[in-house]
Amino acid sequence: MITIQLDIITLAVSGITLLLAIITCLLSAFFRRPRIESRPERKADELPGFSVVITTHDNARELEENLPAFLRQDYPGAFEVIVVEETSTDETADALKRMKMEFPHLYTTFVPDSSRYMSRRKLALTLGVKAAKHEWVVFTDINCQPAGEQWLQTLAKYADEDSDLICGYTNYADDSTSYQRFERLQQALYQMRKAQRGTAYAYNGNNLAFRKSLFLEHNGFLGNLMYLRGEYDFMVNEYATKWRTATMNEPEGIIIEQAPSKKEWLVCRLHYMETRRHLSRSFGYRLLPNLDTTMLHLNYLLEVAVIAYAIVSQDWIMTGAAAFALLFTLIVRTLIARGTVRAFGEQITALKLPFFELRVMWQNLWLLWKHKRADKYEFIRK
């Protein structure tokens, strides 16, 4: 009688452990990745005009390094680049004067010194949109540059009558840390998948195109001008409607952001922690990421606990099943993640991927603690 009971327990525990390992792999963001699209090029007479808006504040070096990549786009259609200057004190003005002599489609404007009680960056972007002469406007940042000269041509494929917003893939340059690129990609996977399956939730990149008429219809950033950051997240969360947001993840349409310092990365993440408190549809969006990381940890804890128990009780069938489940989780999730990482053109060592997946939860808990302790006035315009 005792032997039968032990056999049943062995089979039940082994089966549950193996089933959880399978479920955990299916919950991975890399397994449920968004479609990687490749649309045909549009005819020359169908190409839309683009107004690329960039803000700058004491960014003379970044202007010299990155702005020419936007101005030298191989685009047969009409486009302009508008730089909105936020009262810089370095060589920004001189750099812009030199480039305006070389590039006639570069335009500049500035933020008045008198602006108060609102995010100067959002005000700068609003001024850029109002100065734009084309219906399609693109927001990006001066610490970024397109992956190549076909960026606007690729973007034009998605600027059709079926789209109001276009969220292009962005990631950090190769000299950033592997974890920074991993986390950025994982966030983008969740956000692109959400957009492809209905209504976009937010956007974590620097490659956002939208209709000027849509921006004006929603009064720009009127509802969140007091918050210093989160301009892209607020826009997508408020403006997106079902099936009207395109996701651009073709290699030619990627924007590369310069590697952030640890301080810059931390500030950006803390501002996102504040921004997401004010976004709608948060529960439904955050359910899958939270479920994935929680189940992943429970899975590993269960597998280790079962192995330890089985060894002590000398139940070698249970030991083998739990050990197989552990190896299955590690190997399959790593292979799934590696495939997606390569599909998006990222170079991250496969051996690091399991540790990065575990790190996400602990990193987020630490960020939540940092955000809770932060002075909330750090996130708003005084």
Side-chain angles (χ1 to χ4, degrees), residues 137-182:
V137 180
V138 189
F139 280 167
T140 186
D141 292 320
I142 196 55
N143 61 342
C144 304
Q145 63 174 267
E149 295 183 354
Q150 305 299 311
W151 171 61
L152 278 181
Q153 285 210 51
T154 306
L155 190 61
K157 301 177 187 180
Y158 299 82
D160 56 27
E161 59 183 14
D162 296 324
S163 301
D164 294 324
L165 294 165
I166 306 169
C167 297
Y169 178 55
T170 304
N171 210 336
Y172 295 120
D174 291 339
D175 57 343
S176 60
T177 68
S178 296
Y179 180 73
Q180 287 173 338
R181 296 197 304 279
F182 171 87

Side-chain angles (χ1 to χ4, degrees), residues 12-29:
V13 172
S14 299
I16 291 172
T17 306
L18 291 168
L19 180 61
L20 187 58
I22 295 171
I23 293 173
T24 300
C25 293
L26 297 178
L27 287 173
S28 168

Side-chain angles (χ1 to χ4, degrees), residues 190 285-295 361 364:
Y190 281 118
Y285 171 79
R286 291 165 60 185
L287 180 63
L288 278 175
N290 291 339
L291 184 62
D292 178 23
T293 55
T294 301
M295 291 294 289
M361 173 180 276
N364 287 340

Side-chain angles (χ1 to χ4, degrees), residues 19-280:
L19 180 61
L20 187 58
I22 295 171
I23 293 173
T24 300
C25 293
L26 297 178
L27 287 173
S28 168
F30 298 93
F31 177 76
R32 295 175 292 102
R33 72 187 189 191
R35 297 185 309 275
I36 298 179
E37 299 188 66
S38 181
R39 297 190 181 184
E41 291 188 6
R42 299 178 66 173
K43 297 178 181 179
D45 59 349
E46 297 177 348
L47 292 173
F50 286 109
S51 297
V52 181
V53 176
I54 301 172
T55 67
T56 182
H57 177 66
D58 290 340
N59 296 118
R61 179 179 61 82
E62 289 84 356
L63 280 168
E64 298 280 5
E65 293 177 0
N66 298 322
L67 191 56
F70 291 100
L71 293 163
R72 292 184 176 130
Q73 284 296 296
D74 179 17
Y75 187 62
F79 80 99
E80 61 181 351
V81 177
I82 302 171
V83 176
V84 187
E85 221 276 285
E86 298 181 41
T87 320
S88 298
T89 57
D90 63 355
E91 306 298 321
T92 293
D94 294 334
L96 287 173
K97 286 180 182 177
R98 289 194 299 271
M99 279 186 271
K100 285 180 74 174
M101 295 177 64
E102 182 180 356
F103 302 102
H105 52 297
L106 171 62
Y107 302 91
T108 60
T109 184
F110 62 93
V111 177
D113 291 334
S114 58
S115 62
R116 296 289 186 273
Y117 310 112
M118 63 181 69
S119 166
R120 288 179 65 82
R121 174 170 167 77
K122 290 176 183 174
L123 177 58
L125 290 171
T126 301
L127 293 173
V129 174
K130 290 185 176 181
K133 63 182 181 183
H134 297 296
E135 169 66 0
W136 279 100
V137 180
V138 189
F139 280 167
T140 186
D141 292 320
I142 196 55
N143 61 342
C144 304
Q145 63 174 267
E149 295 183 354
Q150 305 299 311
W151 171 61
L152 278 181
Q153 285 210 51
T154 306
L155 190 61
K157 301 177 187 180
Y158 299 82
D160 56 27
E161 59 183 14
D162 296 324
S163 301
D164 294 324
L165 294 165
I166 306 169
C167 297
Y169 178 55
T170 304
N171 210 336
Y172 295 120
D174 291 339
D175 57 343
S176 60
T177 68
S178 296
Y179 180 73
Q180 287 173 338
R181 296 197 304 279
F182 171 87
E183 186 202 39
R184 192 75 173 272
L185 172 59
Q186 189 183 57
Q187 287 181 333
L189 293 177
Y190 281 118
Q191 292 176 354
M192 285 188 286
R193 184 176 184 273
K194 186 68 173 175
Q196 290 181 359
R197 288 175 171 263
T199 305
Y201 167 73
Y203 176 64
N204 71 331
N206 313 78
N207 191 6
L208 178 65
F210 56 93
R211 295 182 184 274
K212 179 178 179 178
S213 56
L214 183 71
F215 185 90
L216 298 177
E217 177 187 337
H218 285 267
N219 296 310
F221 301 106
L222 184 62
N224 52 79
L225 274 174
M226 65 182 293
Y227 301 106
L228 289 174
R229 303 285 289 273
E231 51 278 354
Y232 299 145
D233 289 313
F234 280 121
M235 277 187 64
V236 171
N237 189 257
E238 182 181 350
Y239 296 3
T241 55
K242 202 166 188 178
W243 312 119
R244 298 286 300 176
T245 303
T247 56
M248 179 180 65
N249 46 35
E250 295 186 41
E252 294 82 4
I254 292 175
I255 287 287
I256 306 298
E257 183 177 351
Q258 292 176 348
S261 65
K262 289 183 178 180
K263 181 179 179 180
E264 290 170 340
W265 180 84
L266 176 61
V267 168
C268 181
R269 298 297 289 122
L270 289 176
H271 273 280
Y272 174 70
M273 290 287 177
E274 177 64 22
T275 297
R276 75 181 190 182
R277 296 176 59 242
H278 310 285
L279 301 180
S280 61

